[in-house]
């Protein structure tokens, strides 16, 4: 009787859990009872902060809005950094060839991304720097220093300081950047669009 109930429950749930073509499930037989085994994706539960004043909610909504603009560019930046590193490792036999490849890559990046990145606000730009650090594994200062040298990195650090940013500041997912990390996890597991839609209605 228990086994029959399990089969009926499984038949009811499979169309909801599986794609139209079906899925093969593992099972274990214990004491003449069949138990089906399935792996579920991790589910992250985020509690909205309680007792936030109107100003704090406004900041949270701005963070969600800015994240929606900045994070796709952070993912693209990480992809481009890995692409550039692979290209340089495969083709550059000396420093001259390395510099030539970096200049070509830089030209291509400016052509492709200069216009959309100019449309980002300062807040979105600062957030983008943090998210690039998270995705690449090193902050923007050291990325620039690795490709263009210390003088260029120092110049851009000075410019960033004028706008209240710091290229050397590391991403701190357990401290200051914890709310941002929660948004990244939501994005990765596919629930961020629902949060965004619940706030902005689109």
């Amino acid at each position: 009787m228990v086994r029959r109930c399990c089969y009926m429950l499984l038949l009811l749930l499979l169309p909801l859990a599986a794609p139209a073509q079906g899925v093969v499930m593992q099972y274990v037989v214990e004491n003449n009872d069949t138990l089906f085994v399935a792996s579920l994706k991790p589910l992250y539960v985020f509690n909205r902060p309680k007792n936030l004043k109107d100003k704090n909610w406004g900041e949270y909504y701005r963070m969600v809005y800015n994240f929606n603009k900045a994070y796709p560019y952070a993912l693209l930046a990480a992809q481009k950094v890995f692409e550039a590193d692979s290209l340089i490792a495969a083709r550059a036999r000396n420093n001259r060839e390395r510099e030539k490849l970096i200049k070509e890559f830089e030209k291509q990046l400016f052509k492709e991304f200069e216009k959309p990145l100019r449309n980002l606000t300062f807040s979105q730009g600062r957030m983008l720097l943090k998210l690039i650090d998270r995705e690449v594994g090193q902050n923007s200062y050291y990325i620039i220093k690795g490709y263009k040298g210390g003088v260029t990195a120092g110049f851009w650090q000075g410019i960033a300081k004028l706008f209240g940013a710091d290229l050397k500041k590391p991403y701190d997912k357990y401290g200051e950047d914890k709310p941002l990390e929660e948004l990244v996890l939501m994005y990765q597991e596919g629930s961020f669009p629902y949060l965004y839609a619940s706030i902005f209605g689109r």
Side-chain angles (χ1 to χ4, degrees), residues 7 28 42 119 132 143 160 163 166 182:
Y7 282 130
V28 178
N119 293 329
I132 287 173
I143 294 171
F163 293 101
D166 185 357
E182 289 183 351

Side-chain angles (χ1 to χ4, degrees), residues 118-185:
R118 281 186 186 274
N119 293 329
L120 295 181
T121 65
F122 291 130
S123 299
Q124 290 163 359
R126 282 195 295 269
M127 185 181 284
L128 177 59
L129 292 175
K130 287 184 176 188
L131 291 168
I132 287 173
D133 181 355
R134 185 200 184 278
E135 295 304 316
V136 175
Q138 59 180 322
N139 61 48
S140 303
Y141 178 84
Y142 290 106
I143 294 171
I144 296 168
K145 188 178 178 183
Y147 290 122
K148 304 293 282 178
V151 175
T152 306
F155 170 78
W156 286 111
Q157 171 70 344
I159 297 292
K161 289 272 191 186
L162 289 174
F163 293 101
D166 185 357
L167 301 182
K168 290 183 179 179
K169 193 171 184 181
Y171 182 81
D172 182 10
K173 69 178 180 179
Y174 298 112
E176 183 188 355
D177 300 315
K178 189 177 179 183
L180 207 53
E181 182 67 15
E182 289 183 351
L183 294 180
V184 170
L185 294 175

